[in-house]
Amino acid sequence: MKSDPSYSSDGSHLKVDTVYWDRLHETELPLLLARTQFAPVAEGRLIFRFLNADVMVDMQARCLRRFQAGRWMRTDDPLLELATVLYLINVKDIYPLGRDIVGPKDLKQGHFFQGPHALKIAPLLERFGHDVAGFLKSAESLGGDRVDMADAAYRLKPFPRVHLYYLLWEGDEEFPARMSVLFERSIEETLEADAIWGLVTRVSTALLTGNA
C-alpha cells in the first residue's frame, strides 16, 4: 500500500486515514504477530516496544495507547501512529536484521530525502555535536545498542524488527560535527519514504528529549 500523508514536519496536522485502519482489521493476526514480534493482549489489541516504552495498538478504537496511572490511556502521537499502522499493513515476511545497512539515498525512493524532506539532523547536531557523552546517555536511556561505527553510534528499535542506526562524528576546531541515520534495507519493504521520514523524525525527537 502506498502512503500519501499530508502533515507538517512535526506531525501536528497529521490524521491517519481510516482506510489504513480498515486494512489493518483485514490482516491475519497470527501471521502478523509472527512477522513483527508484536504481542496480543486482548481482542484487537497489540503491544510493541517503541524504543524503551510499551505502546498498545488498539484496533477497535483506532488509536495508540500508553500505560499511565494504572491504565492504558489514549495517546496523541501522529507520526508514530502513521508509521505503526503502515508497517502492520505492509509487513509480508520476516526480514533479516543487521544486514545491508544503507543510507537514505540508497533506498529505492532515495530521491525523496532531499530539500524539505531531508532527514532532520540539524537539531541533533546542535544538541550532541560537541557532547558525545550526552548522545550516549540519551541513546542508552532509549534502549539503544552501541555499534562500532563513527565516533559514537547506536542501533535504536522503534519496532522490534525495524532498527535505525544513528552515527555521530564529534566536531572539533578543525572539522564540524556530522551525523548520519542509516537503515536496514528491508525497511523499504514495509514503509514508503514519507513514512520512513516520519519515523526518523519521531525517533530523533525522542533522542533530543530523552523520552520515548
Side-chain angles (χ1 to χ4, degrees), residues 5-123:
S6 175
Y7 53 86
S8 63
S9 59
D10 63 357
S12 58
H13 300 299
L14 169 64
K15 182 175 177 58
V16 179
D17 197 306
T18 57
V19 69
Y20 297 145
W21 284 105
D22 290 340
R23 286 291 300 272
L24 181 54
H25 274 277
E26 298 170 2
T27 59
E28 298 182 41
L29 281 183
L31 282 176
L32 187 64
L33 298 173
R35 291 165 177 166
T36 63
Q37 294 185 351
F38 283 36
V41 290
E43 184 176 356
R45 291 184 172 186
L46 314 174
I47 286 181
F48 70 97
R49 192 75 171 170
F50 172 64
L51 303 174
N52 66 338
D54 288 331
V55 177
M56 176 186 286
V57 183
D58 188 335
M59 296 166 59
Q60 303 300 323
R62 302 187 176 211
C63 68
L64 299 184
R65 297 183 184 274
R66 289 179 185 256
F67 197 74
Q68 299 173 333
R71 58 184 295 193
W72 286 97
M73 303 290 291
R74 186 172 188 144
T75 183
D76 183 23
D77 198 338
L79 290 177
L80 182 58
E81 181 182 340
L82 177 69
T84 302
V85 174
L86 290 177
Y87 171 60
L88 292 173
I89 289 170
N90 292 327
V91 62
K92 299 293 187 260
D93 204 348
I94 298 176
Y95 305 103
L97 299 175
R99 298 185 194 172
D100 199 11
I101 298 172
V102 299
K105 294 182 180 179
D106 298 313
L107 298 174
K108 289 182 293 188
Q109 296 182 326
H111 61 278
F112 177 88
F113 300 100
Q114 55 187 335
H117 298 125
L119 298 180
K120 294 186 173 298
I121 301 301

Side-chain angles (χ1 to χ4, degrees), residues 137-200:
K137 181 179 179 181
S138 183
E140 290 182 358
S141 74
L142 296 174
D145 297 321
R146 188 83 179 261
V147 293
D148 188 18
M149 305 168 81
D151 291 333
Y154 275 84
R155 178 177 59 241
L156 297 171
K157 302 171 185 176
F159 303 131
R161 296 192 59 82
V162 174
H163 302 164
L164 305 181
Y165 296 76
Y166 281 75
L167 283 60
L168 174 65
W169 290 265
E170 189 173 23
D172 56 28
E173 294 180 357
E174 187 174 359
F175 297 104
R178 293 185 295 127
M179 179 169 279
S180 295
V181 181
L182 305 180
F183 313 94
E184 288 151 354
R185 189 181 291 277
S186 57
I187 195 172
E188 64 187 1
E189 300 295 332
T190 55
L191 295 176
E192 298 290 323
D194 47 9
I196 293 173
W197 182 92
L199 184 62
V200 172

